[in-house]
Amino acid sequence: MITKTQQKTKRIFDVVLVLVLFPILIIPILVLVIAATIDTKKCGVFSQLRVGQHAKLFRIYKIRTLREEEHRLGHLGKSATSLGKYLRKTKLDELPQLYNVFIGDMSFVGPRPDIQGFADKLKGEDRIILKVKPGITGEATLKYKDEERVLERQKDPEHYNRTIIWVDKVKINKNYVKNYSFYLDLTLILKSTLNK
């Protein structure tokens, strides 16, 4: 089980890594935000409430990838633009989460932060997942890197997500918290970098 000392070490590592990466990535992030603004005709930065450590809500930041479109029946829907699909596939839409890591809402490694209705509803031992900060990457993130495509092939994506994928993610994330080590975080960061 992750200890308080390990959590402090993890936090120091997160801040140092953000300070190293930010000067390198600030220009690419600004370029992508401007491109997304032009592409989607809305602010290029998208934010949404997610469930964080100890089930506290926080605002996550991403590069906007969806454009509002009017469908045949006259109602508005959202679909990913060509640029948006590329950003999602390469995970470049998640670069603004460096800010979330810097201010302490997230870590580089941990369970992905979900919308309300998932992690905040965990019961019993499953709630150990909430002991750690959500991450940009993690074991479950790597396993389900093509989650959107998997869900597109299902007759009932919502049901499949809740009964199959979410259940497996909980199992993976519990194992991460129970067997945490700094070496594990470094390994997962390396795997995530090589999986781009």
Side-chain angles (χ1 to χ4, degrees), residues 68-112:
E68 279 191 356
E69 293 180 339
E70 190 169 335
H71 296 291
R72 270 185 262 172
L73 298 175
H75 66 277
L76 286 175
K78 292 183 179 180
S79 58
T81 64
S82 295
L83 174 63
K85 287 176 184 175
Y86 172 76
L87 293 176
R88 283 170 171 249
K89 185 178 178 182
T90 57
K91 306 298 182 186
L92 289 172
D93 63 319
E94 294 175 1
L95 283 175
Q97 287 161 43
L98 288 175
Y99 174 72
N100 287 115
V101 174
F102 183 70
I103 64 174
D105 289 331
M106 292 178 66
S107 176
F108 274 98
V109 182
R112 279 300 293 167

Side-chain angles (χ1 to χ4, degrees), residues 173-195:
N173 290 327
K174 276 170 63 179
N175 186 63
Y176 167 76
V177 178
K178 285 181 176 180
N179 300 290
Y180 175 79
S181 72
F182 184 63
Y183 175 76
L184 176 59
D185 270 12
L186 293 178
T187 303
L188 291 170
I189 289 170
L190 182 61
K191 282 183 181 177
S192 299
T193 306
L194 297 175
N195 265 304

